[in-house]
Amino acid sequence: MDVTIHTTYLPHLDPDASLAFYRDALGFEVRSDVGQGTMRWITVGPTNQPGTSILLAPPAADPGITDEERRTITAMMAKGTYGWVLLASRDLDETFETVRSRGAEVVQEPTEQPYGIRDCAFRDPAGNLVRIQEVR
């Protein structure tokens, strides 16, 4: 089999703020932006990986989601426990300083983890945890 990761999903509450984080702070390119208002589906990804994307989407747009589920999703997003993504960089310190200088909310500065990796973490405008791991 030849299976690759094409697109993964993260929720957004404010498409413009999320777009600013992923495009302006992380340097991802915008591949598509459809919809209007808060009901926008935005696809972003690293410029050097055209086959891998993140879809930023309204979290409760599915008509099959109940009001109770919407409340749960909203509460989890507010706590930062609903969505996360793990990215990688060859120069973690430079990446960290660049993303921080562009106004991203820092959760954790570059740290050597006891399980053998070095990483840092940011929170995007929707509360999603964005960890960046150093490639060694």
Side-chain angles (χ1 to χ4, degrees):
M1 280 198 310
D2 182 18
V3 178
T4 62
I5 296 172
H6 182 263
T7 305
T8 189
Y9 155 86
L10 284 176
H12 75 69
L13 297 174
D14 179 337
D16 292 324
S18 290
L19 189 58
F21 176 81
Y22 287 94
R23 181 193 58 212
D24 303 336
L26 288 178
F28 286 178
E29 66 181 0
V30 178
R31 300 196 175 136
S32 69
D33 185 347
V34 298
Q36 57 188 351
T38 59
M39 296 302 283
R40 284 168 54 196
W41 287 258
I42 303 165
T43 305
V44 297
T47 57
N48 63 344
Q49 293 180 318
T52 304
S53 300
I54 296 173
L55 172 63
L56 305 170
D62 186 322
I65 294 176
T66 67
D67 288 341
E68 181 179 344
E69 290 167 334
R70 280 186 180 83
R71 286 189 294 276
T72 300
I73 289 168
T74 301
M76 290 179 71
M77 286 178 69
K79 286 176 34 181
T81 59
Y82 186 70
W84 63 275
V85 66
L86 178 59
L87 306 175
S89 172
R90 293 200 181 282
D91 188 338
L92 185 65
D93 293 317
E94 178 186 16
T95 299
F96 175 80
E97 289 303 328
T98 300
V99 175
R100 177 170 63 175
S101 74
R102 293 176 178 170
E105 179 187 343
V106 175
V107 174
Q108 174 199 301
E109 293 195 8
T111 303
E112 191 71 39
Q113 301 293 353
Y115 40 88
I117 65 163
R118 185 167 180 263
D119 69 355
C120 65
F122 296 93
R123 189 153 331 276
D124 82 0
N128 299 307
L129 184 64
V130 177
R131 298 196 75 82
I132 305 173
Q133 180 176 340
E134 185 172 62
V135 176
R136 295 182 178 173

